Amino acid sequence: AERAGQAHFDEIIAKDSRIEPRDWMPEGYRKTLTRQISQHAHSEIIGMQPEANWITRAPSLKRKAILMAKVQDEAGHGLYLYSAAETLGTPRDELNDQLLSGRAKYSSIFNYPARTWADMGAIGWLVDGAAIANQVPLCRASYGPYGRAMVRVCKEESFHQRQGFEILLELANGSDQQKQMAQDAVDRFYEPSLMMFGPPDGDSPNSQQSMAWNIKRFTNDDLRQRFVGMIVEQVKVLGLTLPDPELRFDEESGQWIHKELNWDEFKAVISGNGPCNVQRLARRREAHENGAWVREAAAAYAAQQAEKVA
Ligand code: 3HC
């Protein structure tokens, strides 16, 4: 049965078709998808924190309403992705424990502080922009539940990116202080957003297998390149600059040459030693404890309902 399963799996991957939850799959495929999808979900949930801090400080009701809608979307993205991860056999509370215990990763970018209102613009434009560049190819991931979740996520992310761009555009066209605040936010989020795409291809242990299984469609460096090509144009419309004097397009190689990124910092951030890792996890644990009564009530209600039916 295993040999037949493997042959069927190989045929589906060779045809660039979809693997569904009930299909036979190699344990490594199940494992790497559980790893990636759950960490993607953790990123969405932790990613709510930097922006949530600014909902009560938004400069207008319009901005507050938009930011609330965005943070609510991120929670929904997390729920889709935990549901997709669960179809691979690991229950959600186990995935959650992996996050709360510090064993699971989540996107490096959320371990940086959001210091000013302009950061809401830089996060929307750069972080959600990078997330879109990474998530559009994931709509075609070979694992059905993941690819389908990405279609809905990408639609909502484009609103997130646009509202961030608009915040920066307004500030850049405002007073000198506002323009300076916008430039400062771009300066602080540029490098960390480039590092969201993962380590350089030569230092990416999962890429090769993920690409062979049609999970990852482009390498980390390819997507980083694509993203740089996008923001180089968009930053001109903002009338701001990217903090990268070395940034240039190399005609010969057809590549954007950007400054060397700080991969030591990246390794520190993804191993729990970034600027905000401790507070992000402490906040998540506190929120999890505060929400215990909701889980208990829901479980009690479900048990009651089950008794009625029994
Ligand atoms: N943050 C944290 N960890 C990262 C990372 C990052 N930016 N980039 C890479 N890593 C980790 C990997 O998880 C892996 O560790 P692991 O084996 O323990 O999981 C290690 O570094 C080596 O990296 P690889 O390149 O070998 O790993 P992958 O092939 O998994 O590629 C990835 C990394 C590109 C992030 C890929 O996992 C991916 O595409 N994940 C889904 C996208 C995602 O997580 N996006 C989050 C963006 S934030 C977001 O979506 C919220 C938005 O609404 C703002």
Side-chain angles (χ1 to χ4, degrees):
E2 171 127 349
R3 238 199 332 274
Q6 181 72 54
H8 180 61
F9 174 85
D10 293 344
E11 188 197 334
I12 290 179
I13 296 297
K15 276 189 322 191
D16 200 358
S17 186
R18 283 248 144 111
I19 298 291
E20 295 299 336
R22 286 188 177 73
D23 289 337
W24 184 93
M25 61 184 84
E27 265 324 291
Y29 182 83
R30 184 184 303 280
K31 193 163 171 292
T32 202
L33 276 165
T34 301
R35 169 191 68 86
Q36 175 162 336
I37 302 173
S38 61
Q39 290 182 162
H40 196 159
H42 298 332
S43 306
E44 302 283 4
I45 298 301
I46 297 288
M48 292 163 71
Q49 291 189 31
E51 289 169 323
N53 291 337
W54 284 92
I55 289 177
T56 53
R57 301 178 172 92
S60 69
L61 182 59
K62 170 190 162 193
R63 287 290 170 209
K64 182 196 283 264
I66 292 173
L67 191 55
M68 264 198 288
K70 177 179 188 305
V71 171
Q72 216 167 338
D73 282 350
E74 310 297 8
H77 296 173
L79 299 188
Y80 300 147
L81 288 163
Y82 284 126
S83 303
E86 279 186 312
T87 63
L88 289 158
T90 306
R92 186 175 311 209
D93 50 355
E94 198 176 315
L95 298 174
N96 199 39
D97 285 349
Q98 288 167 9
L99 174 65
L100 296 183
S101 65
R103 277 176 290 141
K105 293 184 172 71
Y106 55 88
S107 193
S108 46
I109 191 69
F110 297 123
N111 291 307
Y112 290 86
R115 293 194 194 292
T116 72
W117 170 254
D119 288 20
M120 294 304 104
I123 287 175
W125 176 48
L126 291 172
V127 174
D128 287 76
I132 291 170
N134 165 281
Q135 288 169 165
V136 166
L138 285 172
C139 294
R140 292 187 296 116
S142 56
Y143 188 58
Y146 193 30
R148 289 189 290 270
M150 281 296 106
V151 173
R152 172 72 181 273
V153 166
C154 286
K155 284 196 179 88
E156 293 173 341
E157 291 287 8
S158 53
F159 143 65
H160 298 171
Q161 197 256 1
R162 245 177 274 278
Q163 63 84 40
F165 186 83
E166 195 211 10
I167 288 175
L168 290 178
L169 191 64
E170 210 168 315
L171 291 171
N173 294 321
S175 67
D176 289 351
Q177 292 96 318
Q178 286 176 318
K179 180 163 187 170
Q180 179 47 44
M181 191 166 76
Q183 185 60 60
D184 165 60
V186 170
D187 290 351
R188 280 183 288 108
F189 275 90
Y190 170 73
E191 263 195 72
S193 60
L194 291 191
M195 293 199 264
M196 281 172 71
F197 292 94
D201 294 347
D203 191 22
S204 166
N206 296 296
S207 278
Q208 199 193 350
Q209 183 60 72
S210 283
M211 291 187 74
W213 278 333
N214 297 338
I215 297 167
K216 189 178 265 194
R217 294 285 178 174
F218 300 97
T219 72
N220 299 356
D221 287 332
D222 287 349
L223 288 182
R224 202 180 342 265
Q225 276 292 317
R226 186 178 298 182
F227 178 63
V228 169
M230 275 163 47
I231 59 175
V232 157
E233 293 314 315
Q234 292 168 352
V235 77
K236 290 175 195 160
V237 177
L238 290 172
L240 299 173
T241 57
L242 295 177
D244 188 347
E246 298 159 53
L247 185 57
R248 63 184 174 77
F249 188 70
D250 177 55
E251 293 297 337
E252 213 173 293
S253 62
Q255 297 279 307
W256 284 98
I257 312 290
H258 54 73
K259 65 170 44 167
E260 186 51 33
L261 299 173
N262 188 336
W263 294 110
D264 291 340
E265 178 181 300
F266 175 78
K267 287 198 171 75
V269 169
I270 70 170
S271 47
N273 307 316
C276 297
N277 297 59
V278 171
Q279 85 185 55
R280 298 287 187 238
L281 276 191
R283 185 81 193 78
R284 182 85 277 284
R285 288 186 191 111
E286 183 197 343
H288 187 70
E289 268 131 50
N290 292 347
W293 68 273
V294 177
R295 290 190 295 278
E296 283 150 22
Y301 179 73
Q304 244 177 18
Q305 293 305 91
E307 257 165 44
K308 276 189 195 149
V309 169

